[in-house]
Structure formats: C-alpha cells, structure tokens
Amino acid sequence: MGPTDVNDPSYYHRVVDCQWACPAHTNVPEYIRLIAQGRYDDAYLLNRESNVFPGILGRTCDRPCEPACRRARVDGEPVAICRLKRVTADLRGDISDRLPRSPSEKNGKRVACIGAGPASLAVANDLLPLGYSVTIFERHDAPGGLMRTNIPAFRLPSEVLDEECRAILDMGADIRYRSPVTSLRALLAEGYDAIFVGSGAPRGKELDLPGRHEETGETRIHIGIDWLESIAFGHTDSIGERVLIIGVGNTAMDCCRSSRRLGGKDIKVMARRPRGFFKASPWELEDAEEEGVEILVNHAPKRFVIEDGKLRGMEFDILEWDERAEHSRVVGNLVMPCDDVILAIGQENAFPWIERDLGLEFGEWELPIVDEVTMESTLPGVFFGGDSAWGPKNIIWAVAHAHQAAISIHNHCQGIPVTERLPDGMNLVSQKMGISQWSYSNDFNPANRQRMDHVDLARRFSRLNLEVELGFSAEQTAREVERCLNCDIQTVFRARLCIECDACIDVCPAECLTITEDGDEADLVSRLTARRLNPDQGLYVSEPLPQTRRVMVKDENICVHCGLCAERCPTAAWNMERFELRIPYAADHVPSGVS
Amino acid sequence: MPSITKPKIPLLALEKNELGLTIRDYDGAMSTLCAGCGHDSITAAIVRSVFELSIPPHRLCKLSGIGCSSKTPTYFVSAAHGFNSVHGRMAAIASGANAANRDLHYIGVSGDGDSLSIGLGHLAHAIRRNVDMLYVIADNGVYGLTKGQFSASADLESTTKRGEPNTTPPIDPVVLALSLGATFVARAFSGDKRQLVPILKAGLTHRGFALVDVISPCVQFNDHEGSTKSYLYTREHELRATDFVPPAEEIVADVPSEGTVSVTMHSGSVITFTSLPEGYDPTDRASVIAYLDERAASHEIVTGLLYASDGTPDLHELNQTSETPLVSIPFERLCPGSAALEELQQRFT
Ligand SMILES: Cc1cc2nc3c(=O)[nH]c(=O)nc-3n(C[C@H](O)[C@H](O)[C@H](O)COP(=O)(O)OP(=O)(O)OC[C@H]3O[C@@H](n4cnc5c(N)ncnc54)[C@H](O)[C@@H]3O)c2cc1C
Ligand SMILES: Cc1ncc(C[n+]2csc(CCOP(=O)(O)OP(=O)(O)O)c2C)c(N)n1
Ligand code: SF4
Ligand code: SF4
Ligand code: SF4
Ligand SMILES: [Mg+2]
C-alpha cells in the first residue's frame, strides 16, 4: 500500500473518533483529561473555543460523537461525552475575565445577522473580538432562537441559555429585538459590509388530511414547533387529557413531554414506522417513556375526526412493514379518540422576505444555493448558516457553519477571496515522562458508563421548567472520565529506529500491530494479527523497516491507546504523542498585529 | 517495569479456539524483561501455540531454571501448573514430573547458560530418557540475568558489548541433541514467529523429547556489532533449511510430492517436509549433522525443523511409568503405609 501520509492532519484526526464526528471538532479527550485534573475552567473554555455553548450543548447536543466513540467498540457503551461537557459548565468558576472581548477600537466593518439563534450568535462570537460591528435583528424579544422557543426548559434551564447568550452579546453586539427583517433588499440598502442569514427553518410542516380545517371554534390541532413556542412565551399553559402526537422525531418527544406537564394524562406518540426507524434519539425516547408516554408503532394518520366543528379523534391505518421498513401494506384501521393533536412531522425553510430578483438563487425545496465550504450564497456578501442553509439540523451544526461563515465574512470584508482559507494544522507532543511513565492515565479502566440521575417522577411535574437531569456527581464524573481511551494520544512510529524485535506486537492487548511484507490493501489485511472488523478505520502502513524491508502495519480500529507498544519498544520507534488539531477560526485569518 | 499490566479487553476481533477461549486467556503476568528482549517473543509464540492447539490451560505444566529466559513461564498461561527450579535443574524436575503424570503437556524454558553450562548433565539425560516434553532453549549467547558474560553457546569470533573476544569454542545444542539421540530437533529465531509457532506446535504434539533452540537476542548485552546473536546478524546469516506442513493441519493436495519427506508420528499424524536441501534427510542423524557442520563453516545459522523420528520409546515406555497420573491414584494405594513397607522389605531378607 505504500507508507501512510501522517503529515496530513486528517490521518490522526480520524483516529480521534469523537472529534472527527463532531461537526465543530471539539477536542473531547483533552477536555475530559482537564476535567479529570479538576481544571473545570480550562475544560469549559476549551469546549467554548470550538462549540461556543458548552452548557447548552452539554444538555441538548445531538452528540454525533457518542455513536462514533471508540469505547463503544470495546464494551458496547460510548463515553458519556455530552454529560461530561455539562460537568465543565456545572463545576466551573467565574470565567468572565477569560472570555473573548471586543477591542475598543473597531475595524470599521459592519455585519448584519438575521435572527439571534445559535448560528448568528456564533458568528458574532467570532467576529466581535476582531473589531467588527455586529448588528443582530431578531423577531422575538429574547436571544437563542429555537434553543429558547422550542427546547423546553425542563431540558435546558433558561439561566444556562441566558448566560451563554450574554457572554456573546456582552462583547458589544447591537441586538435589535422585535425587529423582523421583512425585506432583504431593504437590508442590503443599509450598506452593511456583509450579511449573515441565521433565520432558521421556522415553519412547522402541515398535515393536510381531511378534517384539518373543519374545526369551527378554538383549534385543538397544533403545529408542534409553534405550540412549544407559545409555551416558552407563556401563552399556553394547559392541554387536554388525551393527546395524540403525530411523528416520532425529537420535536415529538418535546411535545409529548410538555403535554405531560400541562395536564395531559393519556399521551400517545403515533409513529408510522416500527421502532429502530424512529428519528428521535434513543435517549429521548427513553426519557419520554419513563414519563409514561406511550409510543404506538405502524399507525399512519388518515383523517381528523371532526364532529360539530370539534376535534373528536383521529383515524389511522394500521400498517405492516417489510424488514427494512421501506414498503408497507394496510392491515387495519382504527379511530383514536382524543382532545388535542400535535403535529410534529418536521420543519421547513421559509424565506418570504427574500426577494427573488436580487441575484440570490434558490434551488430545490425553496432552499438557497449555498457553498458548502464558504457558506456564501450566490449573492456575494450574503452568507447562510444553521438551519437556514440546508434545512433543520441541530445546534452543533449551526455552530460549525457559523465558524466557517465568520471566516468568509472576514475575508469578504477585507477584500480577500472567501476561498482563501487556512488548512487544518496539527501539533504532536510527546507524552513520555520517563521510563514507563506517561503524562496521561494510560491504564484501561473497565468501569461501565455512568447513568444520569433524574428528578423523581413524583416531583418532576411540579414545575413546568424543573430540569429533569441532575448532572453527574463528583463520583460519577471521576469514574466516567477514566473510561475515555485518550484517542488523541497517538502511537507515532519512526520506521528507521525499528529493529523488528516484535516486542510491540507481542504486548499489544488489542492485537492491532503486524510486521509483514507490503502488499495491496486486501492482501495486507489478510495477513493482520487480528481480523480487521472496521474498514472505515485507518490502516497505518510504515516506511520499509531497515532490517528486512517489511512494513509495520497498525489497524487503528481497536487500539486502546494504552502506550504498551511504546513502553516495550527498546528503541523508542513507537512513541505516544498528543495530537492537537489546529482548527483555523476567523481570528487565525487576521494577520498578526492587525485586527 | 511497564506502567500497567496488559489489560484484558473484551475484543470482538479476537478469534476463539476449540475451547471457546481467546488468545488473551493464555496470557501470563506482565514481563519484567528488558524491552525488546527476544525471550518475550518466544513467550508470545508459546502463547499462540498453546492457544492454537486448544490446550486447556490447566493441562499445561511449565518448568524452568534460572535466568532471564527461565523467568518467562511466569509470563505465559497464568492458569497452568509450573515449577521454577534452581539453576540448571529444570530437566531433572521435568523428568520427575513427567514420570508422575503423563496426562499433562510439558513445556520447559531454559537459557543457553542454564542448559549448556550448569544444567548440561541434566539436559543430556533428559534427552537420553526421551522425556515427553517440549524443551525450549532461549539462546542469546550470554548470561543475560548476570549482566552479559559469555555463555557456552557464544561463537568463537563474537565479542562482548565492550569488545572482548570469546576464545572458547561453543556447544551447539542442536548438534548435541542429535548426537545424544534426541527424537525432535529444531532451530528457530525469536524474530520470526511464522516459522517458530509451527515448530513449537509440532514439538508440543511430538511424543518424546522435542528440543527447540531459539536464537533470542539479548537487547541489553548482546545486540551489538560484535555479536553473532543479534537481530541483525541473525537475519543476515539465517538459512532456512527446511519447511514442513505441521501435523495438525491437513495436507493440501497441491504440495509437490517430489522432494518431500514424510514422518509418521506416534499419534498417526504426519509431518511432511516440503523443502529440503539436496541430499538432506531429516530422519537421518548423520546427514543432518554433516549438513550443519558444512553450513557452520560458512557462518550460516541453519533454522527449521531439522530432525524428527518416532521409533524411539519415550520415558513412559522405557520406565513403565504409571498410566494413571499419580495424583489420581488413591493415597492408600500410592502409600500403603509402614506395615506394607515392612512386608516388602521382608521379601528381600
Ligand atoms: C422542538 C425542537 C427541539 C430541538 N431540540 C434540539 C436539541 O435538543 N439539540 C439540538 O442540537 N438541536 C435541537 N433542535 C434543533 C435546533 O434548535 C436548531 O437546529 C438550531 O436552533 C438552529 O439554529 P439557527 O441559529 O440556525 O436557527 P434558530 O435557532 O431557528 O434561530 C433563528 C432565529 O431567527 C429568528 N428569525 C427568523 N426569521 C427572522 C427574520 N426574518 N427576522 C428576524 N429574525 C428572524 C427567529 O426568531 C430565531 O430566533 C430542536 C429543534 C426543535 C424544533
Ligand atoms: C547455582 C547458581 N549458580 C549461578 C547462578 C547465577 N546465575 C543466574 S542466571 C545465570 C545464567 C543465566 O544465563 P542463561 O541461562 O543463558 O539465561 P539468560 O539470562 O541469558 O536468559 C547464572 C550463572 C545462580 N543463580 N545459581
Ligand atoms: S497503544 Fe499500542 S499497545 Fe496499546 S492498544 Fe494501541 S497499538 Fe496496542
Ligand atoms: S518494539 Fe520497537 S523495535 Fe521492536 S518491533 Fe516494535 S517498533 Fe520495532
Ligand atoms: S538482560 Fe538480556 S536476556 Fe535479560 S531481559 Fe534483558 S535483554 Fe533479555
Ligand atoms: Mg542466555
């Protein structure tokens, strides 16, 4: 296969599975080690650098990092990465003097952000310290976007949200509440140097079945995201006893759990497809079921049953699916009586305020055409990010988009092509402290994943905004941090030093090393010490070894980063080195000394 | 000392043997030898061999004397029986253990010092008696444990780490074993498990004494330029003289029958030599010794399974040992008491 190019940062980056999977590439193992050392402030700030909202995300993140976590390959359960992120926010001290600040002297460039959701806030976070004047237009009277209006307070307390929004706004953003942007043309005319559209995907999907518009009095059929918003703003404080939720995504989970708190007693989530094909995260399903919500599978909504202009129930077809849940057939039918129906079947983008003759092109599904790297639309100087760009995603994606958009905005304002961007960099630092001594905790700890404690069911519904999850205790934290395998502490190989003694191969508890003749991938893989179970994981091939011209091969898949190979190597051909991914942000694009 | 012991990780990628065990179930304690010591590779090869043969850990008996090499039984198959004897006495202890219980597999690990100096007499007699065991000499040409003095296997022209030359001629354990009538003789290199593991497996299945001399570089005292037992020297001078299809594996049809020699083992299985030098007969001592002499003159290190035969009676046949392990015989029968002894003695008066 020839030698692997380990100078390309993406090789080692991929070994850090969680960091690779995180859209914002949060340095997870490093913040976990900082927690282990009790350095909560540092751990929080390290998080903040890449994901901007550690306290919020430590409670609500979709956590694509966890399914990717190497630990799951060892004992089936990933490290509780997200919960540990919350620990950094829970246990940190006052960090206000370590937060970024904006310089008193501005650079004279004005940037407008539409919407005060996570995407716009993160753009402001990156640009304010560089001297930009950032104006945020928000239609509501509080910042946070869907984090405030849709994510219920029992999952995300408003104090946490307020504090992390304030950290950004206090840098001097000019935020204008109750100021919906109604015309992009008009905004363009105000002469901003750049515009960022962070307006989200604000429209809940309709379900146009018979009966939908036949209610005569007050409507008992609600659009999920609008209904959650009206709870957040205190306009809704009750619901009927029998509630049907249509859809089984994360919005449905927030709707059913909110119903439970507003007086719902018999709450059913109606899913079209079987379990295993739901959109909601497994932990959200678990939490809903713990609260007594029933989830019914294989029910396809057919019509709203309206009598005398009043909602009485809903009719469903009962489906039978093939194994992959691609094709179904109707095997029955039933009417489910209810008091309220909440539609939680998705969101759409809507840009009624963007004139279609500005040169800003739209593609399919009424989505703007946005460059995947620069986040720029077809109208130079107008950038998109978060849900507004490619439809509903999540907070961490909004932040990731925002970092990239901020770089583009900076380049655009400075007259540099938006495509001129710094590549990822890396740094490797030896972790050797002495013979058989490492600067990290290299032993494998067999502890199981710690369970998050919840407020008692008896007390849980006493207040609408009572946070359910209690956070990790000190003991749980201490146990959980040791489960991390330190995937960023890389095994770095120097072929010219190897005397082919086999010591590393013999000691490796994961059997991931092999010395053999080079060959094409399939051939090489057939000669590995242990079977290669995951071809998506890296396969390291060294330069030819000095004595026999064979090569050292490492299957990255199951390495537990124990460092034994490096310890047993007589010539230090293997070493354990901490890999640090250098992600360029907008600030890194500012020539030093100038801002 | 390594900072941690090798963790037991439940890995899916690990294969299971016939007993449902993974190779990790054959691990021993963490090695305390120098990093890079050839002995650790021999340990790993033994672990692999007993794992692949699906030997139940508790049916294994591991024995050794004194030396870095003799420490290694601690580092494999923790669940096995074991005896760490005094310097050079392993062969004697193994003979006794073997006589007392023929149901176990015996692996003795010794050093060139342990076997060819202080223990030479015991080794010679264990060979003569054809003790049913695998006897591994981890051969590094020095006394590693006592800081690198020349051992009896050090070659004439080799030097110590500081440069003093060796002036005493060596004993080659392979030639020694052949001349004493050993029934299974091999040489291998710790740095080549592809050859070592099949040889160890064949030795473990052989009935009678199987001697394997494994060149095992001492990274600390004998891996330098003047060494003839270093990693580099061994690789540069190794001559793989023979290859064979191990008895446990099925012989594939396309193995050319011309030039192959088959030896039928006691169990009925067959070792088939697939590549041999011209005129070399692995069942004829004289031809093997002649070949070794010739190659030694040109400083080549001959490796492979060099000699195998199965005609000779083993310790059990020779001494009519008990078929039932002594441990399984009721104590009253094993030791009928002083009255019975008296009666026996009466017969000789
Ligand atoms: C019920 C629900 C639960 C969710 N739970 C999670 C979760 O647990 N974890 C997670 O990661 N993600 C979750 N999400 C998704 C997540 O909230 C969004 O992906 C994220 O907030 C998108 O951020 P954004 O900045 O792009 O847009 P938004 O958060 O939607 O913010 C857009 C802002 O722009 C304002 N705005 C819109 N149009 C205009 C205009 N014309 N003029 C002025 N202001 C305007 C809006 O009022 C809003 O404040 C959830 C979504 C929903 C609906
Ligand atoms: C009766 C006795 N004499 C001498 C010693 C000192 N001694 C310990 S190990 C050793 C030689 C070991 O050499 P070898 O068997 O080659 O083992 P290595 O350490 O090289 O693997 C000697 C002489 C001893 N322990 N006991
Ligand atoms: S760090 Fe080295 S010894 Fe440990 S699992 Fe990884 S490759 Fe194996
Ligand atoms: S332990 Fe070191 S010298 Fe020995 S084979 Fe491994 S990398 Fe090479
Ligand atoms: S002294 Fe030599 S034989 Fe002993 S452990 Fe060290 S390298 Fe191995
Ligand atoms: Mg020795």
Side-chain angles (χ1 to χ4, degrees):
Chain A
M1 286 176 72
T4 305
D5 179 12
V6 290
N7 292 318
D8 176 352
S10 68
Y11 181 78
Y12 288 131
H13 186 190
R14 277 186 60 186
V15 175
V16 196
D17 299 279
C18 47
Q19 191 178 18
W20 179 259
C22 172
H25 304 313
T26 303
N27 189 345
V28 174
E30 178 69 7
Y31 85 65
I32 292 182
R33 278 191 300 273
L34 290 170
I35 295 173
Q37 294 163 19
R39 293 168 58 189
Y40 306 115
D41 293 4
D42 294 337
Y44 179 86
L45 289 165
L46 180 69
N47 262 291
R48 194 182 183 285
E49 214 174 275
S50 50
N51 60 51
V52 185
F53 304 106
I56 295 170
L57 288 164
R59 293 166 164 86
T60 62
C61 191
D62 263 354
R63 32 194 192 226
C65 52
E66 292 196 12
C69 173
R70 178 175 299 266
R71 180 74 193 207
R73 275 173 249 152
V74 174
D75 64 8
E77 291 210 89
V79 173
I81 298 170
C82 186
R83 271 55 190 272
L84 289 174
K85 192 186 310 298
R86 172 172 169 184
V87 166
T88 73
D90 286 355
L91 300 188
R92 70 174 162 80
D94 179 10
I95 41 117
S96 47
D97 56 350
R98 294 178 66 186
L99 290 174
R101 273 167 225 254
S102 60
S104 46
E105 202 177 311
K106 304 295 169 202
N107 69 0
K109 301 289 180 188
R110 295 162 58 240
V111 177
C113 294
I114 304 172
S120 290
L121 289 170
V123 165
N125 177 70
D126 283 10
L127 292 180
L128 286 167
L130 308 185
Y132 286 89
S133 304
V134 179
T135 307
I136 304 175
F137 298 94
E138 168 55 53
R139 132 178 95 109
H140 291 305
D141 58 3
L146 289 178
M147 303 192 295
R148 183 174 306 274
T149 60
N150 266 241
I151 298 182
F154 59 82
R155 286 208 289 128
L156 175 59
S158 55
E159 310 82 70
V160 177
L161 177 62
D162 289 341
E163 189 172 8
E164 290 189 335
C165 291
R166 217 182 305 122
I168 296 166
L169 298 176
D170 284 358
M171 279 191 265
D174 170 18
I175 182 153
R176 311 210 182 141
Y177 295 117
R178 275 178 237 93
S179 310
V181 172
T182 50
S183 159
L184 182 59
R185 188 192 306 282
L187 190 64
L188 284 165
E190 290 183 36
Y192 286 96
D193 294 289
I195 293 175
F196 177 77
V197 182
S199 57
R203 189 182 285 164
K205 281 199 184 143
E206 254 304 346
L207 186 62
D208 265 324
L209 290 178
R212 173 66 180 98
H213 304 291
E214 284 171 20
E215 285 169 299
T216 47
E218 169 212 20
T219 180
R220 304 298 292 260
I221 303 171
H222 318 277
I223 302 274
I225 67 164
D226 298 340
W227 182 71
L228 288 170
E229 181 178 304
S230 72
I231 299 172
F233 287 121
H235 305 318
T236 294
D237 57 9
S238 68
I239 193 142
E241 289 198 354
R242 300 167 305 166
V243 187
L244 297 183
I245 320 284
I246 310 300
V248 67
N250 289 342
T251 303
M253 294 302 108
D254 284 337
C255 290
C256 66
R257 296 178 71 192
S258 296
S259 303
R260 182 78 177 81
R261 284 159 177 77
L262 295 187
K265 296 224 159 59
D266 172 11
I267 304 161
K268 294 189 169 71
V269 173
M270 310 300 291
R272 276 177 67 89
R273 307 221 278 166
R275 246 174 211 271
F277 299 90
F278 295 172
K279 278 200 184 147
S281 322
W283 57 86
E284 298 222 56
L285 290 165
E286 247 170 63
D287 292 349
E289 288 188 313
E290 179 187 327
E291 295 182 356
V293 169
E294 208 181 328
I295 298 174
L296 297 183
V297 297
N298 305 342
H299 282 69
K302 200 168 179 201
R303 104 187 138 90
F304 297 91
V305 181
I306 312 284
E307 282 167 19
D308 311 325
K310 277 201 162 65
L311 176 74
R312 298 287 178 209
M314 217 175 158
E315 187 182 334
F316 295 88
D317 277 340
I318 302 173
L319 305 181
E320 196 178 80
W321 292 88
D322 62 359
E323 214 165 293
R324 295 231 218 91
E326 279 166 358
H327 305 284
S328 64
R329 63 189 186 97
V330 177
V331 292
N333 179 282
L334 99 169
V335 170
M336 194 77 80
C338 67
D339 303 314
D340 289 85
V341 169
I342 303 175
L343 302 176
I345 51 175
Q347 285 158 260
E348 288 168 330
N349 290 57
F351 299 99
W353 49 274
I354 299 185
E355 295 81 355
R356 300 301 144 112
D357 59 355
L358 298 170
L360 199 160
E361 283 171 39
F362 282 78
E364 264 185 306
W365 317 109
E366 279 300 279
L367 287 174
I369 294 172
V370 177
D371 184 276
E372 281 182 29
V373 175
T374 65
M375 311 305 294
E376 193 168 32
S377 69
T378 56
L379 182 59
V382 178
F383 302 86
F384 283 73
D387 290 356
S388 75
W390 296 290
K393 284 202 159 139
N394 54 35
I395 301 167
I396 192 67
W397 269 113
V399 172
H401 292 167
H403 285 311
Q404 295 312 314
I407 294 172
S408 302
I409 292 170
H410 168 73
N411 280 4
H412 176 83
C413 292
Q414 305 300 327
I416 303 165
V418 289
T419 48
E420 219 164 90
R421 314 170 84 83
L422 294 173
D424 281 352
M426 70 167 178
N427 197 17
L428 289 166
V429 183
S430 173
Q431 299 300 292
K432 204 183 185 89
M433 303 287 283
I435 294 176
S436 303
Q437 246 192 329
W438 301 104
S439 71
Y440 69 107
S441 154
N442 62 322
D443 205 356
F444 174 81
N445 190 312
N448 291 329
R449 182 179 164 112
Q450 301 299 300
R451 299 267 150 252
M452 174 59 68
D453 288 333
H454 288 176
V455 173
D456 278 356
L457 277 171
R459 228 164 46 81
R460 191 175 303 178
F461 311 118
S462 58
R463 260 192 306 123
L464 179 59
N465 54 4
L466 185 68
E467 186 172 18
V468 173
E469 296 190 347
L470 295 173
F472 275 164
S473 68
E475 292 74 18
Q476 285 176 306
T477 302
R479 276 196 288 269
E480 193 62 30
V481 290
E482 286 302 323
R483 295 185 70 242
C484 173
L485 297 171
N486 300 287
C487 301
D488 62 332
I489 314 279
Q490 307 279 351
T491 54
V492 176
F493 188 66
R494 290 174 182 84
R496 72 194 146 79
L497 296 178
C498 176
I499 58 169
E500 297 170 63
C501 69
D502 276 8
C504 53
I505 292 165
D506 297 338
V507 80
C508 175
E511 308 277 330
C512 47
L513 305 176
T514 309
I515 295 182
T516 188
E517 291 75 26
D518 201 357
D520 62 42
E521 184 165 341
D523 172 37
L524 205 63
V525 163
S526 72
R527 284 183 268 121
L528 297 182
T529 309
R531 282 174 297 162
R532 189 181 192 202
L533 292 180
N534 193 345
D536 295 338
Q537 288 281 319
L539 192 67
Y540 168 81
V541 181
S542 75
E543 304 272 344
L545 302 177
Q547 292 194 7
T548 64
R549 312 305 290 167
R550 294 180 298 169
V551 288
M552 176 71 78
V553 186
K554 182 186 177 208
D555 180 358
E556 298 286 4
N557 183 35
I558 40 175
C559 168
V560 293
H561 298 261
C562 65
L564 283 176
C565 49
E567 264 183 52
R568 296 306 286 165
C569 179
T571 64
W574 284 113
N575 191 25
M576 303 308 290
E577 299 183 11
R578 184 164 56 80
F579 163 80
E580 194 191 338
L581 181 69
R582 292 271 169 84
I583 308 169
Y585 296 107
D588 300 298
H589 287 74
V590 178
S592 53
V594 188
S595 68
Chain B
M1 257 312 264
S3 63
I4 57 170
T5 53
K6 189 162 169 168
K8 270 210 188 323
I9 302 165
L11 286 165
L12 290 170
L14 293 185
E15 262 142 294
K16 297 204 162 132
N17 66 10
E18 281 165 26
L19 303 172
L21 301 177
T22 73
I23 195 157
R24 289 283 79 80
D25 297 312
Y26 290 85
D27 276 341
M30 205 58 192
S31 170
T32 56
L33 301 184
C34 304
C37 177
H39 300 352
D40 281 336
S41 285
I42 300 177
T43 298
I46 291 174
V47 166
R48 180 149 291 276
S49 303
V50 284
F51 159 74
E52 285 181 5
L53 289 173
S54 293
I55 295 174
H58 67 286
R59 308 307 298 161
L60 185 71
C61 179
K62 42 185 195 176
L63 305 111
S64 65
I66 298 293
C68 296
S69 37
S70 294
K71 289 172 75 177
T72 63
T74 307
Y75 313 141
F76 61 82
V77 202
S78 293
H81 306 276
F83 198 99
N84 186 207
S85 81
V86 290
H87 199 21
R89 273 36 174 184
M90 181 266 278
I93 303 290
S95 305
N98 193 207
N101 185 342
R102 57 164 74 190
D103 281 359
L104 301 179
H105 294 270
Y106 292 87
I107 300 183
V109 185
S110 177
D112 40 330
D114 195 61
S115 281
L116 303 180
S117 290
I118 193 169
L120 187 63
H122 291 297
L123 169 62
H125 290 281
I127 296 174
R128 270 183 72 233
R129 292 196 175 101
N130 205 13
V131 178
D132 194 4
M133 73 181 298
L134 169 66
Y135 192 106
V136 177
I137 300 180
D139 190 350
N140 53 16
V142 289
Y143 296 170
L145 192 69
T146 56
K147 304 270 176 281
Q149 303 85 349
F150 283 125
S151 78
S153 75
D155 291 310
L156 263 180
E157 68 274 32
S158 64
T159 71
T160 61
K161 205 174 177 180
R162 295 156 124 209
E164 296 102 348
N166 172 36
T167 52
T168 327
I171 299 173
D172 178 348
V174 165
V175 175
L176 176 83
L178 284 166
S179 56
L180 287 168
T183 48
F184 182 109
V185 184
R187 179 156 27 231
F189 170 41
S190 68
D192 181 2
K193 288 201 199 64
R194 254 194 267 172
Q195 183 189 40
L196 178 55
V197 170
I199 288 178
L200 293 177
K201 285 168 72 181
L204 272 164
T205 39
H206 171 72
R207 188 201 57 141
F209 195 84
L211 181 125
V212 185
D213 178 44
V214 188
I215 307 298
S216 175
C218 169
V219 275
Q220 194 61 255
F221 300 112
N222 208 11
D223 195 39
H224 49 83
E225 279 186 5
S227 166
T228 56
K229 291 206 164 37
S230 65
Y231 283 106
L232 188 60
Y233 186 94
T234 308
R235 288 200 168 102
E236 283 175 347
H237 292 78
E238 184 183 359
L239 173 66
R240 280 183 76 143
T242 70
D243 256 320
F244 68 101
V245 180
E249 281 163 41
E250 239 175 280
I251 299 165
V252 266
D254 60 357
V255 171
S257 53
E258 207 178 311
T260 67
V261 174
S262 297
V263 181
T264 306
M265 308 300 285
H266 186 77
S267 57
S269 59
V270 177
I271 289 182
T272 304
F273 289 87
T274 55
S275 102
L276 293 167
E278 237 188 82
Y280 186 107
D281 180 356
T283 63
D284 172 31
R285 282 171 213 286
S287 99
V288 178
I289 293 175
Y291 180 78
L292 290 171
D293 272 353
E294 182 194 315
R295 299 332 304 179
S298 53
H299 304 292
E300 278 167 308
I301 303 168
V302 175
T303 62
L305 172 50
L306 301 170
Y307 176 83
S309 74
D310 196 52
T312 325
D314 69 354
L315 171 95
H316 304 298
E317 267 181 80
L318 285 170
N319 295 322
Q320 290 156 31
T321 62
S322 167
E323 275 191 36
T324 314
L326 300 190
V327 66
S328 310
I329 296 174
F331 183 74
E332 310 76 62
R333 262 195 66 208
L334 207 54
C335 184
S338 39
L341 177 65
E342 199 116 314
E343 205 186 301
L344 184 74
Q345 281 170 333
Q346 288 300 319
R347 284 209 253 149
F348 299 103
T349 51

